[in-house]
Amino acid sequence: MIFREKIVELLGGSTKPEEIVKQEIPQVVTPQPVKVEPKTLEAIPFEPLPDKPAAPPPVLEKEEKKEVALVQKPTNQETQSEKVEKIPEPTFGLICTKYEKIPSRFRLASWEGVKKVELEDLSKIDPVTKKHPRYWLRLRIPYKELIHVTSKESFFRPTNMQDPNKRLLVQSFEVKKEALSYSTLKKPIGYLILRDFKMGGPPFQLTSEMDSPMTSSYYLHFEQIMGPKKFFHDLTGKRNGHKFGGWGIEYQVTNQNFVQNKITVLRKDLKTLKLAKKDLSGPTSL
């Protein structure tokens, strides 16, 4: 080391050791926040829009009532492609010639208990005694009518419901004691529900106070007009919906109103398949 220092001195250098300078890193100081003031925008002058003219108040218009025509819905006998229309009487070609209630052939004469009744046949009379024949029938048993070969008198025999020749059936019977209007006494009155298979129609009621009872069925006759020709149809005992007519025209009775004396008939042209419906009046007013 001494030798080195001498050499350095000879060369004119300094023999003092170099001082090591320690570099100090300055501390980072967080800058203070700068307040940024928002720039004010220049106000743009404008003129207010002119006021809109005031709309006139609404005027209420009176609504005119429109008559709505009722459209009849097609029945189960009419298809969607077939329309029912109303046509005048001459074109309809049918008039009713008879519409009356049918009188009952039988009258309740007497009874034995509540399961056996006696009916009087008003359609026949004995020329000697001037009395009507009588028949005893049991409750809920069908009877068929037979004609005697010699005397031509009627008599009834029990049968079953499968017999196509059955005629009468007493469906129900009861006796009630009711006061008469002309007396304070009470008189027993029989009430019977009878069904006549030959005549057809629904069952009807007979009472012991009825001298000339009526059934629930009607005489129903029609006259069909085809130009100069006329044809007659008897629908007595036929159910509604029974088809009749002919010569290219088919008719059906769809409804009966005996109180109003009206029969609703449906007419069908078999060539054009057009349908027409009309309410026919009976020949007599009630």
Side-chain angles (χ1 to χ4, degrees):
M1 293 293 293
I2 299 173
F3 181 72
R4 181 180 178 183
E5 293 175 355
K6 289 181 179 182
I7 294 174
V8 172
E9 291 177 356
L10 290 176
L11 294 175
S14 176
T15 59
K16 291 182 179 180
E18 297 180 357
E19 295 180 358
I20 299 173
V21 181
K22 187 177 180 180
Q23 186 177 2
E24 295 181 358
I25 300 175
Q27 295 181 354
V28 178
V29 180
T30 56
Q32 296 181 356
V34 180
K35 295 182 179 180
V36 179
E37 297 181 357
K39 296 182 179 180
T40 58
L41 300 177
E42 296 182 358
I44 301 176
F46 66 92
E47 295 181 359
L49 295 176
D51 296 335
K52 293 183 179 181
V59 180
L60 298 178
E61 297 181 357
K62 296 183 179 180
E63 297 183 356
E64 297 181 357
K65 295 183 179 180
K66 298 181 180 180
E67 296 182 356
V68 181
L70 297 178
V71 180
Q72 296 181 351
K73 296 183 179 180
T75 60
N76 54 354
Q77 299 173 353
E78 306 168 12
T79 59
Q80 296 180 355
S81 60
E82 297 174 335
K83 296 181 180 179
V84 179
E85 58 182 358
K86 292 186 177 181
I87 58 179
E89 183 80 18
T91 309
F92 198 80
L94 191 72
I95 60 174
C96 180
T97 58
K98 190 173 185 180
Y99 188 39
E100 302 173 2
K101 267 195 172 184
I102 302 176
S104 175
R105 174 185 165 183
F106 303 96
R107 186 184 74 86
L108 178 59
S110 63
W111 57 88
E112 185 178 311
V114 292
K115 294 185 177 180
K116 192 175 180 180
V117 298
E118 186 181 27
L119 299 183
E120 188 175 17
D121 191 350
L122 301 177
S123 66
K124 299 179 181 181
I125 188 170
D126 191 322
V128 179
T129 61
K130 304 300 181 179
K131 294 183 178 181
H132 301 288
R134 296 187 176 188
Y135 315 100
W136 283 96
L137 304 180
R138 292 189 175 274
L139 190 68
R140 299 189 184 91
I141 297 178
Y143 286 81
K144 62 181 177 181
E145 183 179 9
L146 302 174
I147 307 296
H148 196 276
V149 178
T150 306
S151 63
K152 303 300 180 181
E153 294 180 355
S154 297
F155 58 97
F156 291 84
R157 292 291 182 267
T159 183
N160 51 60
M161 293 298 292
Q162 289 72 32
D163 188 351
N165 297 320
K166 59 184 180 292
R167 176 62 193 265
L168 296 178
L169 174 65
V170 180
Q171 290 191 349
S172 65
F173 176 73
E174 63 177 338
V175 180
K176 297 181 181 179
K177 288 187 177 181
E178 298 182 5
L180 301 178
S181 59
Y182 54 85
S183 174
T184 57
L185 300 177
K186 290 186 177 181
K187 179 182 178 180
I189 299 176
Y191 291 84
L192 180 147
I193 301 298
L194 184 67
R195 185 173 182 182
D196 192 331
F197 295 97
K198 184 178 180 179
M199 183 176 55
F204 54 96
Q205 186 182 68
L206 300 177
T207 71
S208 56
E209 294 297 305
M210 293 180 178
D211 294 329
S212 301
M214 305 296 289
T215 67
S216 57
S217 300
Y218 307 92
Y219 290 118
L220 187 57
H221 296 174
F222 291 100
E223 180 181 323
Q224 183 180 357
I225 303 172
M226 299 290 293
K229 298 181 180 180
K230 296 182 180 180
F231 307 94
F232 300 93
H233 304 280
D234 186 359
L235 267 72
T236 303
K238 304 294 184 181
R239 294 183 178 180
N240 290 347
H242 175 77
K243 298 178 181 179
F244 66 99
W247 304 276
I249 303 297
E250 182 181 273
Y251 297 97
Q252 294 182 47
V253 176
T254 60
N255 186 39
Q256 299 183 37
N257 191 328
F258 188 73
V259 176
Q260 297 182 0
N261 195 31
K262 289 183 179 180
I263 310 100
T264 305
V265 181
L266 183 68
R267 178 186 186 272
K268 182 177 182 181
D269 192 324
L270 299 180
K271 294 181 180 179
T272 61
L273 300 180
K274 288 186 177 180
L275 296 177
K277 185 179 291 186
K278 190 174 183 64
D279 290 335
L280 302 180
S281 299
T284 57
S285 58
L286 301 179

